Amino acid sequence: MSALSQEQMAQTATLEQLYPKLATVGLGAGWNKPTPSLWPTPHKTFPPAHWRYAQAKGALDAAGRLINVELAERRNLILINPLEGNSYATARTLVAAYQMIMPGEKARSHRHTPNALRLVLDAEPGTYTIVNGAKLPMVPNDVVLTPNWCWHGHGNDGKGCGYWLDFLDVPLVHLLDPMFFEPHPQEFEDNAQEAPQSPFIFSWADTQRRLDAAPPDPSGRHGTCVELGNPALDTMALYMMRLLPGTGTTGYRTTANTLYAVVEGEGTTNVEDQSFAWRRGDVVVVPSWHRHVHLAPRGAVLFRVTDEPAMSRLGFLRSEAV
Ligand SMILES: [Fe+2]
């Protein structure tokens, strides 16, 4: 910082002389900013995008030959949003990844402040996640939570490879800075007890029963929809949406960032002027404030992961029919 005195500042004759003086003392003229700091509606910085499970699964099978979990903390493929300059996030606050664990493998336990969850795609009996010492079976279409600072690791005692989708709020933690990470002191939680009824797991069997009993969403935005948890995690809410054959959803936009993963069926999501044709295991990201609808001529189930709880607690959650 320069040593300009109050007097020297006060005697500045012109704006052209004032601006460089301001720069030397760490001030900027609010009336002369190069870019505005306020605007009327969201900028929609992140574009919508689509990832195909078939491609990711092929790549994970190659990675299974090429890298083992001794070298990699996790064998996963990150869904990197195509926003220019982005190298990690799937949306502003969320990241998703496809992950695979081979028979006989164990992925070391660790804990971190980011909240995480996974949607199981393909797994045979014997694939499991350990959360705080409880061993949870991973069955296709189950959702398993590992909240902020819970110890967690994965293993596969089965005969086939286990594949799932991870969802985390790491980009939000990057924005806010409260990142902590710790490897488990024993590396693996060896004495884990089986706990199929854990509060950290939403079984597909239960979810299907709840969907069968649920009325259609009156807003028309979500088909028939049940929430997993209330919310499941401090920063992320989770929903299963069943789209009946031939029925589409009504268009809307929300300030919440949303990831849709396909649990069953085929269909299309139209996000503003883009159209994404999806099938089981695919992911579509609908970033903040993008109008979107889903179409599933033969019916489908979508898993919706959103940052609604974070937006809501901060007072920033808005949505509207469009
Ligand atoms: Fe983790």
Side-chain angles (χ1 to χ4, degrees):
M1 297 285 178
S2 79
L4 284 168
S5 68
Q6 182 173 349
E7 192 104 300
Q8 287 169 307
M9 281 291 192
Q11 288 167 358
T12 308
T14 68
L15 281 174
E16 285 61 39
Q17 291 166 354
L18 180 63
Y19 294 147
K21 283 189 185 176
L22 288 175
T24 66
V25 294
L27 294 170
W31 65 87
N32 190 41
K33 290 192 297 291
T35 55
S37 53
L38 305 171
W39 43 88
T41 56
H43 268 170
K44 301 197 278 193
T45 309
F46 278 67
H50 169 216
W51 290 265
R52 297 179 195 284
Y53 177 40
Q55 293 171 337
K57 195 174 186 184
L60 283 171
D61 289 341
R65 291 194 322 274
L66 302 170
I67 189 154
N68 64 41
V69 288
E70 296 296 312
L71 296 172
E73 186 76 15
R74 297 289 189 258
R75 185 190 292 109
N76 58 11
L77 298 172
I78 300 159
L79 282 59
I80 301 172
N81 189 286
L83 171 70
E84 197 178 334
N86 176 52
S87 60
Y88 180 67
T90 311
R92 176 69 81 189
T93 55
L94 303 171
V95 67
Y98 289 101
Q99 184 165 170
M100 187 266 269
I101 188 162
M102 297 174 74
E105 283 187 334
K106 283 184 180 176
R108 290 183 288 272
S109 285
H110 62 210
R111 63 181 176 178
H112 38 68
T113 43
N115 294 277
L117 64 123
R118 40 210 57 80
L119 169 69
V120 183
L121 294 174
D122 288 301
E124 295 189 15
T127 311
Y128 62 88
T129 288
I130 297 176
V131 187
N132 283 347
K135 191 173 183 178
L136 313 180
M138 298 180 83
V139 175
N141 301 350
D142 282 2
V143 173
V144 182
L145 307 181
T146 54
N148 179 344
W149 215 236
C150 289
W151 294 112
H152 57 281
H154 311 291
N156 186 350
D157 297 334
K159 292 188 171 59
C161 296
Y163 302 81
W164 63 83
L165 268 164
D166 294 304
F167 301 88
L168 300 95
D169 58 9
V170 172
L172 177 65
V173 178
H174 288 170
L175 285 169
L176 300 178
D177 272 346
M179 179 67 79
F180 294 88
F181 172 92
E182 192 175 6
H184 195 279
Q186 276 101 48
E187 197 160 279
F188 302 108
E189 296 173 84
D190 282 333
N191 297 318
Q193 301 297 310
E194 299 251 355
Q197 296 305 315
S198 163
F200 296 127
I201 191 161
F202 298 97
S203 79
W204 179 230
D206 279 350
T207 301
Q208 282 180 298
R209 274 193 288 275
R210 291 184 59 204
L211 281 169
D212 289 343
D217 163 34
S219 76
R221 296 175 180 179
H222 307 301
T224 299
C225 182
V226 297
E227 181 168 7
L228 310 183
N230 181 29
L233 297 160
D234 286 335
T235 54
M236 290 180 281
L238 313 177
Y239 303 87
M240 284 287 184
M241 299 167 39
R242 180 182 279 162
L243 309 176
L244 295 176
T247 58
T249 59
T250 57
Y252 82 108
R253 59 187 176 189
T254 169
T255 52
N257 293 283
T258 308
L259 304 181
Y260 292 99
V262 184
V263 174
E264 278 188 347
E266 295 178 15
T268 303
T269 298
N270 295 331
V271 189
E272 303 200 338
D273 60 352
Q274 294 188 68
S275 186
F276 303 109
W278 39 254
R279 57 197 308 166
R280 185 171 186 281
D282 287 6
V283 174
V284 172
V285 58
V286 180
S288 183
W289 215 236
H290 286 74
R291 179 190 189 273
H292 63 287
V293 297
H294 308 290
L295 308 164
R298 290 189 292 281
V301 175
L302 297 179
F303 179 49
R304 178 163 61 104
V305 179
T306 97
D307 62 5
E308 274 174 10
M311 288 285 185
S312 179
R313 285 177 199 195
L314 295 173
F316 298 143
L317 185 62
R318 289 193 189 200
S319 70
E320 64 183 27
V322 190

